[in-house]
Amino acid sequence: MSVWLSHKVCETQQASDVQASKTWSDGDPSRTPSIMGVASHAPSNHLGRYAMYDLDGDGHVTMDEIVTATFKNLFPDSFQSVLEVRNHKEVDLLLMQWDIAYMQLEKAETTFEAAGLLERPEHNLRCCGCTGDRVDSIDFWSMRVRDLEQRITIARQAALDNPPTTSYFVFFSNQKDAAIAAQTNLHAEDGHSFRVMEAPGPEEVNWSVLWRTWLERDVREVVVLPLIVLIILVPIGLFTGVVANVTVAVCNKGSRYYWAWYCGQKNVARSLFTAVLPPLLLMLWQSLVMPNVLYRFAWIESKWPSLSQMDRRICELFFFWSVFNVFLGAMFGGAIFSQLAQSLKDPASIASLVGTALPSSSNFFINYVITQGVAMIPFRIMFPHIGVLVALFRILHICGPPKSDRDKVAALWPHSIRYGREIGVMMLIYIIALAYAATSPIILPFALIYFMFSWIFWRYNILYVSERCFESGGRVWDQVFKQVCCCMFIFEFFTGVLCYHSLQPECHRHDPFGICHPVVRQMVLCLSIRPCSLAC
């Protein structure tokens, strides 16, 4: 459980129930569950009235004494201690540099041993080893490792000497009081207020969030929000529009770019270019660009104290991107902007716009689902881990054998599942299959193939290949269930609007008073999934 302290804001959040082995630092269930705290405090002019906070009797009241006194007064039987959170970012950066330097040292020593201890390896100092002074690799990296070790020792001591952050872990002797504290608005007598939530497990603490004050987190959230909206609204129609424009330019006989071979009626290359390339570009965008960008934005927000919460945030953003950008953007394309004014003047024309755009954009989504179900998922089944590809390249003599034990471990290291991205892709396939079930039922078998292969792949991957890096306590299911409900509403809405559009003449013939005409009636139809003529 975690506690946030703030002298201005009091906010209570309840996180998921985590296993005891994930909550206690030493994995012993008999140990106390912890509470994590983030404090943003201002000096008080009336601390003299609260001498009870001066626990060490030195006449100076510190923030950890205020936290200790507050929880000790509220939970005298179960409260044990308070652990300060200190900013160790500099230590982490130096440790990463040390790891890279030690890896280079291992490679140099392995190369020296492979040469029979006859020729010591050398490298250049500048431009990735291409230019600069030439030095002995073993001596250089050995000195680099020793230098970093000394700097790490100094940085650790500096982190202990510097003032602590506004975050605290609070330990209790029983789970009951810890759960009560995590769900209570706590206020110290000097005016400080506590933001309380359950502490994440030690393996999933997002330390960078704990190093910041509440003001820094709020400012970052406001600054990053426009960037998130921008990346979500980047038009996915660019993938289809570019391909369509290239085809038009090349196949126009009056154009100087006319290509007779490409524009032939029986040319397979043209069919592959127009049918396969747009879905492939979309998959590359959602596999390489979107996960990294959304992860970076969620990290910059500094709002999520645990990695599992940040993963759920990415899953939420991926769902928004799938609905508003990929599905609606690719379906309407430029039509929504050209007919926006007419739709605002006559809301009843929205049904006609949707009923026309839904069938016309079915080819792109059918090709996308076919590519995912027939190509991508089977490929991932054959190559569930990057180590399989590395082994294949070694068999084909494309790359050499591992030079050190580190390389052997890195090739087979179990990776963690990016739940935010993977669930987002599944929800996109689910939305497309449901929305086009009535318009293009041919999409359903391919969607079924996708989910069947996905079940095989993820069952094998979770059991034998991947390894989870943190525990969310099952809170992902709550978010997935809400997204499934949104997908069902999308299915009902678009199916109902399609039925209304296709049966509109029949509806008006049976409804001379125009009861079925308003948008309100369309919403009722989409929720009930009844043909308009029968409902009238």
Side-chain angles (χ1 to χ4, degrees), residues 111-133:
T111 303
F112 183 50
E113 293 177 359
L117 305 179
L118 299 176
E119 182 179 358
R120 295 176 67 86
E122 297 180 348
H123 72 279
N124 297 322
L125 294 179
R126 296 180 182 178
C127 191
C128 301
C130 298
T131 61
D133 298 334

Side-chain angles (χ1 to χ4, degrees), residues 478-495:
D478 295 339
Q479 194 166 20
V480 171
F481 179 76
K482 294 177 183 178
Q483 294 179 3
V484 169
C485 292
C486 293
C487 294
M488 296 302 297
F489 175 79
I490 291 173
F491 164 67
E492 294 177 355
F493 177 78
F494 284 97
T495 304

Side-chain angles (χ1 to χ4, degrees), residues 301-355:
E301 278 184 312
S302 295
K303 184 179 178 181
W304 318 103
S306 67
L307 298 179
S308 61
Q309 287 178 311
M310 192 163 63
D311 224 9
R312 294 197 295 272
R313 172 62 170 170
I314 297 173
C315 181
E316 179 185 25
L317 296 177
F318 239 106
F319 183 74
F320 291 152
W321 177 75
S322 300
V323 174
F324 295 104
N325 195 321
V326 180
F327 177 65
L328 296 179
M331 183 177 66
F332 291 108
I336 189 173
F337 297 102
S338 61
Q339 302 186 22
L340 181 60
Q342 179 63 26
S343 300
L344 294 177
K345 294 179 181 179
D346 184 14
S349 63
I350 297 177
S352 300
L353 176 62
V354 174

Side-chain angles (χ1 to χ4, degrees), residues 220-426:
R220 281 172 168 262
E221 183 179 0
V222 173
V223 172
V224 174
L225 182 60
L227 300 178
I228 294 177
V229 174
L230 179 63
I231 191 63
I232 289 179
L233 297 183
V234 170
I236 202 66
L238 290 174
F239 298 136
T240 57
V242 169
V243 174
N245 291 333
V246 170
T247 303
V248 170
V250 171
C251 294
N252 186 6
K253 292 185 178 181
S255 174
R256 61 177 180 175
Y257 303 107
Y258 178 73
W259 193 1
W261 173 83
Y262 176 80
C263 299
Q265 295 182 354
K266 298 182 179 180
N267 195 318
V268 180
R270 178 182 177 183
S271 301
L272 293 176
F273 182 76
T274 57
V276 177
L277 187 59
L280 184 61
L281 292 176
L282 174 58
M283 286 186 292
L284 292 175
W285 179 267
Q286 72 178 10
S287 299
L288 302 178
V289 178
M290 289 300 297
N292 295 319
V293 172
L294 293 181
Y295 175 83
R296 178 63 59 180
F297 285 164
W299 179 79
I300 294 175
E301 278 184 312
S302 295
K303 184 179 178 181
W304 318 103
S306 67
L307 298 179
S308 61
Q309 287 178 311
M310 192 163 63
D311 224 9
R312 294 197 295 272
R313 172 62 170 170
I314 297 173
C315 181
E316 179 185 25
L317 296 177
F318 239 106
F319 183 74
F320 291 152
W321 177 75
S322 300
V323 174
F324 295 104
N325 195 321
V326 180
F327 177 65
L328 296 179
M331 183 177 66
F332 291 108
I336 189 173
F337 297 102
S338 61
Q339 302 186 22
L340 181 60
Q342 179 63 26
S343 300
L344 294 177
K345 294 179 181 179
D346 184 14
S349 63
I350 297 177
S352 300
L353 176 62
V354 174
T356 304
L358 197 64
S360 61
S361 59
S362 59
N363 289 337
F364 170 76
F365 291 112
I366 291 174
N367 294 331
Y368 175 76
V369 174
I370 291 175
T371 307
Q372 282 281 2
V374 179
M376 293 304 300
I377 293 297
F379 176 80
R380 297 184 70 177
I381 293 176
M382 292 185 292
F383 301 98
H385 191 275
I386 189 64
V388 180
L389 290 176
V390 173
L392 179 61
F393 291 156
R394 288 171 181 166
I395 293 175
L396 299 176
H397 301 286
I398 298 177
C399 62
K403 296 183 179 180
S404 62
D405 294 337
R406 180 192 290 264
D407 294 338
K408 296 178 182 179
V409 173
L412 301 176
W413 188 264
H415 59 80
S416 180
I417 300 173
R418 298 185 297 178
Y419 286 101
R421 184 260 174 189
E422 301 298 344
I423 294 176
V425 174
M426 290 185 182

Side-chain angles (χ1 to χ4, degrees), residues 472-527:
S472 66
R475 293 300 295 269
V476 175
W477 165 245
D478 295 339
Q479 194 166 20
V480 171
F481 179 76
K482 294 177 183 178
Q483 294 179 3
V484 169
C485 292
C486 293
C487 294
M488 296 302 297
F489 175 79
I490 291 173
F491 164 67
E492 294 177 355
F493 177 78
F494 284 97
T495 304
V497 170
L498 182 66
C499 292
Y500 175 79
H501 176 70
S502 60
L503 299 175
Q504 195 173 14
E506 186 72 14
C507 176
H508 286 297
R509 186 157 53 88
H510 290 280
D511 180 32
F513 298 101
I515 298 176
C516 287
H517 190 64
V519 178
V520 176
R521 186 58 181 168
Q522 298 171 20
M523 293 296 296
V524 175
L525 288 173
C526 81
L527 294 176

